[in-house]
Amino acid sequence: MTHQQVLEALIEVAGQLEVAVRVEKGNFRGGQCLVEGNQVVLLNKRHPPEVNVAILSQCLQKLPVDSVYMRPAVREAFEKHVDTPTAVSADDAPASS
């Protein structure tokens, strides 16, 4: 599976766990927050898919992901990023086009 396919599968997992995922452009790293009492994960569109996979995996690790089926390749990618800090900050984001 490509990083993009893994990211799309993890976004589906988040949806099953009632967590909204928004992919936006901006000068931010990404992460989890509450918006009007709802859990939201914000991902930066300018970051490569593998970075967003890491960020989303770290956010999902706090949730009952064992209750949701993940294809083996997706679970492997998820587990690879659990408890591993990502090294992307807002300063590392690609410049605006």
Side-chain angles (χ1 to χ4, degrees):
M1 293 184 87
T2 66
H3 292 293
Q4 184 62 39
Q5 290 171 322
V6 171
L7 178 61
E8 290 168 5
L10 286 174
I11 290 172
E12 288 179 23
V13 168
Q16 292 176 28
L17 295 169
E18 299 182 8
V19 175
V21 177
R22 293 176 48 186
V23 182
E24 306 283 341
K25 288 182 183 178
N27 191 20
F28 61 91
R29 176 182 174 269
Q32 190 172 10
C33 62
L34 286 176
V35 177
E36 296 180 0
N38 298 314
Q39 292 185 42
V40 177
V41 175
L42 193 59
L43 301 175
N44 194 321
K45 187 178 259 185
R46 295 179 179 164
H47 292 170
E50 56 269 22
V51 171
N52 285 330
V53 165
I55 292 168
L56 183 53
S57 294
Q58 291 171 7
C59 294
L60 292 178
Q61 76 177 342
K62 303 167 191 162
L63 301 172
V65 293
D66 291 337
S67 65
V68 178
Y69 174 76
M70 284 189 232
R71 292 177 17 190
V74 175
R75 186 162 297 276
E76 181 180 329
F78 167 77
E79 290 175 352
K80 175 183 171 186
H81 296 290
V82 171
D83 294 327
T84 304
T86 54
V88 175
S89 69
D91 296 331
D92 296 330
S96 300
S97 305

